[in-house]
Amino acid sequence: MILTMASMNSSVHSYNMSSLTYRDPSSTAVAKNVFILALGLTINYINGTLIHTFRKHQIFYTNPRYVLFIHLVLNDMIQLTVTICLFVLSYVIYRIQTSLCCLFITFASFTTLNTPLNLAIMAVECYIAICLPLRHAELCTIRRTYILISWIWAMSAISTLPDVFLNVATEPERYIYASIFCERDNLFRHPISLQKRDISFIIYLIGVWLTVFFTYFKIFFVAQAAKKAKSEDGNAKKARNTILLHGFQLMMCMLTYIYHTIMKALIYLFPKHYINVIFVCYIFIQILPRLISPIVYGLRDKTFRQHLKKYLLCSVIASVTPWTKAKCGSLS
């Protein structure tokens, strides 16, 4: 099976080595695809259960924090599904029609750019809840939350759609007739697109990280002040830990922005293990960050955890004892 570096990072902006191809033994190729599919399906099942739990309880969709969280989960599901589809396609048919590739890459780029913005807004919400509690209800409303979600998608569109229009205008026949290996640098190969990509990444990195650092240290100081006053604020401590988890998830997501730089270094250091290095990077950069979201809120949040247990346990029990399906159905 043919595999290139780009197949592991089709939703991000990889170091363009797509002209170099490597072959996995059939057994290795099957094992990798089965592993990725199993991991992706597991994460999407957990995320799907989170969405179902959110949808069934009014307490969640009237709370801005949970609305932002479930948007992140849904975004991760889309991103994970698209990248896994491209991963499998890279083994099965290798080249696809350019217009179809453009659709895949557009969705993947949107969702990849959405994640750090969503995490930054969630960090700000935590900051307001802890540091400005009296103004939280005023500032963090459901209406403003949906406006911010629309803004997230608008920012991703502003960053991605100009590349689509530019390349369609400069190479229209290629988008109609040609088939390509589907990765961003193969699709958006105009020099202006590459320059714009680097500039937008720098802006994203600086803006999002400044937001996360600011909110973390503000919450940290509130927690320290409460501790000195011998009235340890559990909410402040929990929010501080949540911001730390946001930062860890954000760090992993932000690796996509310097992926091509990392790959240049790794290829230079391990040229004989090229294909395995790419596979490991794909798991750590594309897959694992999508596993952190359910942990941050789905498992750590007490309210969400109580409702989530019902559906997860019910699904397991129903699979073992079919007669319990009717009882489980009453929870739906």
Side-chain angles (χ1 to χ4, degrees):
M1 292 291 184
I2 296 177
L3 178 64
T4 69
M5 183 184 73
S7 67
M8 303 297 184
N9 196 34
S10 53
S11 71
V12 296
H13 320 295
S14 59
Y15 176 50
N16 189 10
M17 291 284 291
S18 58
S19 60
L20 298 178
T21 59
Y22 293 77
R23 291 182 182 275
D24 264 332
S26 296
S27 58
T28 303
V30 171
K32 286 182 177 180
N33 278 272
V34 169
F35 176 77
I36 290 297
L37 285 171
L39 191 58
L41 289 173
T42 301
I43 295 173
N44 274 349
Y45 170 75
I46 296 172
N47 285 340
T49 306
L50 291 172
I51 293 174
H52 181 71
T53 304
F54 170 86
R55 188 174 62 87
K56 289 297 182 179
H57 297 89
Q58 186 177 3
I59 188 176
F60 296 131
Y61 54 81
T62 57
N63 187 318
R65 180 174 302 175
Y66 294 116
V67 172
L68 286 170
F69 164 63
I70 219 64
H71 173 256
L72 179 65
V73 169
L74 182 60
N75 183 81
D76 285 350
M77 289 185 70
I78 297 172
Q79 199 272 349
L80 194 60
T81 301
V82 172
T83 55
I84 288 177
C85 285
L86 288 171
F87 178 89
V88 174
L89 286 173
S90 72
Y91 280 92
V92 177
I93 59 177
Y94 186 63
R95 290 176 178 269
I96 64 175
Q97 215 278 331
T98 306
S99 57
L100 179 60
C101 174
C102 184
L103 183 64
F104 275 121
I105 294 298
T106 300
F107 270 106
S109 296
F110 272 38
T111 52
T112 299
L113 293 171
N114 285 349
T115 299
L117 293 177
N118 203 117
L119 289 170
I121 292 174
M122 291 174 75
V124 172
E125 190 277 333
C126 283
Y127 160 74
I128 294 173
I130 299 302
C131 300
L132 303 170
L134 298 180
R135 300 197 62 192
H136 183 266
E138 173 192 350
L139 296 175
C140 300
T141 63
I142 291 295
R143 180 175 177 274
R144 288 181 176 178
T145 302
Y146 283 115
I147 290 174
L148 285 173
I149 291 173
S150 301
W151 174 81
I152 289 173
W153 283 90
M155 290 296 294
S156 298
I158 290 171
S159 180
T160 304
L161 291 182
D163 294 329
V164 177
F165 298 144
L166 175 63
N167 284 271
V168 169
T170 54
E171 300 179 286
E173 293 184 357
R174 180 168 173 259
Y175 277 77
I176 299 174
Y177 302 111
S179 295
I180 63 170
F181 180 83
C182 192
E183 61 102 0
R184 184 185 171 101
D185 285 351
N186 275 349
L187 183 68
F188 303 141
R189 57 187 185 182
H190 196 284
I192 293 178
S193 295
L194 299 177
Q195 293 176 4
K196 183 181 70 62
R197 177 199 69 189
D198 294 337
I199 294 173
S200 64
F201 280 3
I202 292 172
I203 295 173
Y204 266 66
L205 279 168
I206 294 175
V208 172
W209 273 113
L210 283 177
T211 301
V212 171
F213 277 123
F214 172 81
T215 54
Y216 172 75
F217 283 111
K218 283 289 186 179
I219 292 173
F220 176 79
F221 291 140
V222 169
Q224 289 296 106
K227 188 175 180 179
K228 288 180 179 179
K230 296 184 180 181
S231 59
E232 178 69 24
D233 190 342
N235 290 332
K237 185 177 180 180
K238 184 177 179 180
R240 183 186 64 192
N241 293 336
T242 299
I243 296 296
L244 274 178
L245 285 172
H246 281 334
F248 176 69
Q249 184 179 11
L250 191 62
M251 180 184 68
M252 296 185 73
C253 292
M254 286 297 191
L255 289 177
T256 61
Y257 293 166
I258 56 173
Y259 185 86
H260 58 292
T261 304
I262 295 173
M263 291 315 305
K264 285 180 182 180
L266 291 177
I267 292 168
Y268 177 78
L269 293 173
F270 308 103
K272 294 182 180 180
H273 303 283
Y274 172 83
I275 197 169
N276 294 322
V277 167
I278 301 304
F279 182 72
V280 171
C281 287
Y282 173 71
I283 292 174
F284 277 93
I285 294 177
Q286 289 294 337
I287 304 291
L288 291 185
R290 274 74 208 174
L291 183 60
I292 298 175
S293 296
I295 296 174
V296 172
Y297 275 109
L299 300 180
R300 290 183 67 249
D301 184 87
K302 183 178 179 181
T303 305
F304 217 109
R305 186 171 63 247
Q306 289 176 345
H307 293 286
L308 183 62
K309 281 181 180 178
K310 298 177 184 178
Y311 296 107
L312 289 177
L313 291 176
C314 198
S315 297
V316 173
I317 295 172
S319 65
V320 177
T321 55
W323 58 270
T324 60
K325 286 184 179 179
K327 184 177 179 181
C328 290
S330 65
L331 294 174
S332 300

